Amino acid sequence: MLPGASDEPRSSTAAKSMHMATSRSFATAGAPAATAPTRRWIVATAKFGYLAKATVYGVIGIMALLAAAHSGGRATGSRGAFMAILSQPFGRVLLGILGAGLAAYAMWRFAQAFLDADHRGDDARALVVRLGKAGTGFIYAGLSYSALRIFLGLRAPPSDDQQAKSWTALLLSEPYGPWLVAAAGAAVIALALHELYVVFRGSFADKLKLEEMSVTMRTFVLRCGQIGHTARAIVFGIIGLFLISAAIHSDAREARGLGGALLALERRPYGDWLLAAVAFGFLAYAAYLLLLVFYRRILKP
């Protein structure tokens, strides 16, 4: 018997374990109460969503890498990625599939937030995490809407930069507007710091099926996760700093989205190298997301 193990009979321990599993409601603490078709539907939705998110990061990474190499690409955000996909053979079909995939990712985030699909519980810390998942869900629902508008041939949505400037201008027009914008910038910087914390703790691997991987694959997945999250932290930090600058000067034109943050990085000394490093990080993150399709524990503690 392991140190600290219970002296209770195995049958009693098993009964307690079964009671704990069955007593969890999927709507509050996990998946066991969900029907098998519902579980399969949510797992498929999550995997489709990870595939779509990987595609977006991969395209943005490739375009940034081409821009750094002066090979015809340009640093861009999500709308630029959608337009790049649209320009490819069968691009409209691919963009429609991508839009559906981004909607699937939003639904998966909502399942994590409102159904507690990751079994986080309902203490204060867990609720904060779940609230963050809900926020991400709304962001990707917006991205899905943008992709599907382009797919349907409607007017293309504003770029990431234009949207950032519009939202910043709206906040600045409100009472205490600069403080609201500064708070938004601080929140984005906090998100960047959280990404670095995730890398330091290695907590991004908590839900991975590491035991099913070879040593080589395990190392590859972990390195992709570390590099990818670090690249995201850099870009989020830049976006947050631009928001704080917009708040200080009460000038919405200083706000930047993803594409603007990459462009600002490119314009720094040694900018091509910096942009290439972040582009490589985005490609690593895309690879990590693709591997989540196969190795992520979904609806399991």
Side-chain angles (χ1 to χ4, degrees):
M1 182 177 294
L2 294 174
S6 172
D7 292 327
E8 292 180 356
R10 291 185 180 180
S11 59
S12 174
T13 302
K16 285 188 176 183
S17 299
M18 182 176 296
H19 173 72
M20 290 174 63
T22 55
S23 63
R24 292 173 179 164
S25 166
F26 182 73
T28 59
T35 63
T38 300
R39 290 171 59 84
R40 287 195 294 269
W41 179 81
I42 293 177
V43 169
T45 297
K47 292 185 175 184
F48 187 24
Y50 283 127
L51 181 61
K53 185 178 179 182
T55 301
V56 174
Y57 269 94
V59 172
I60 293 174
I62 290 172
M63 294 182 71
L65 196 59
L66 291 174
H70 301 282
S71 298
R74 62 186 180 89
T76 187
S78 56
R79 192 188 72 166
F82 298 155
M83 300 306 293
I85 292 171
L86 185 65
S87 68
Q88 302 303 309
F90 305 104
R92 190 169 297 278
V93 174
L94 294 174
L95 188 59
I97 295 172
L98 179 63
L102 292 172
Y105 187 77
M107 293 171 67
W108 165 235
R109 284 309 199 197
F110 291 145
Q112 291 174 298
F114 303 119
L115 304 179
D116 196 14
D118 282 335
H119 307 268
R120 292 186 179 275
D122 55 4
D123 58 28
R125 181 178 178 182
L127 289 176
V128 170
V129 173
R130 290 168 63 180
L131 182 62
K133 300 292 185 185
T136 304
F138 285 112
I139 290 172
Y140 277 88
L143 289 177
S144 171
Y145 174 74
S146 297
L148 292 175
R149 279 186 62 87
I150 298 173
F151 163 73
L152 293 172
L154 302 176
R155 189 177 69 175
S159 67
D160 299 28
D161 268 10
Q162 291 170 329
Q163 292 184 48
K165 289 176 171 60
S166 296
W167 279 105
T168 302
L170 181 63
L171 288 177
L172 287 174
S173 67
E174 298 295 323
Y176 305 103
W179 290 101
L180 294 174
V181 174
V188 177
I189 290 175
L191 179 60
L193 294 175
H194 178 264
E195 290 288 296
L196 294 177
Y197 178 75
V198 162
V199 173
F200 176 74
R201 289 292 302 274
S203 55
F204 65 87
D206 288 348
K207 293 291 182 178
L208 295 178
K209 303 174 187 176
L210 296 176
E211 70 282 356
E212 297 184 9
M213 304 178 194
S214 65
V215 174
T216 301
M217 177 58 73
R218 188 181 308 137
T219 300
F220 179 71
V221 171
L222 294 177
R223 293 295 176 269
C224 284
Q226 290 168 339
I227 295 169
H229 281 288
T230 300
R232 278 163 49 92
I234 293 170
V235 174
F236 290 159
I238 294 171
I239 293 172
L241 290 174
F242 273 120
L243 282 173
I244 291 177
S245 178
I248 292 173
H249 299 107
S250 295
D251 187 355
R253 293 173 297 179
E254 295 191 20
R256 297 288 187 277
L258 174 58
L262 293 175
L263 186 60
L265 198 65
E266 185 181 16
R267 289 173 176 172
R268 301 295 297 173
Y270 304 102
D272 289 343
W273 292 100
L274 293 173
L275 182 62
V278 171
F280 176 74
F282 275 19
L283 292 174
Y285 189 67
Y288 168 73
L289 291 169
L290 285 175
L291 291 167
L292 290 184
V293 175
F294 304 100
Y295 294 114
R296 214 273 190 189
R297 288 190 181 89
I298 300 173
L299 300 185
K300 292 182 181 179

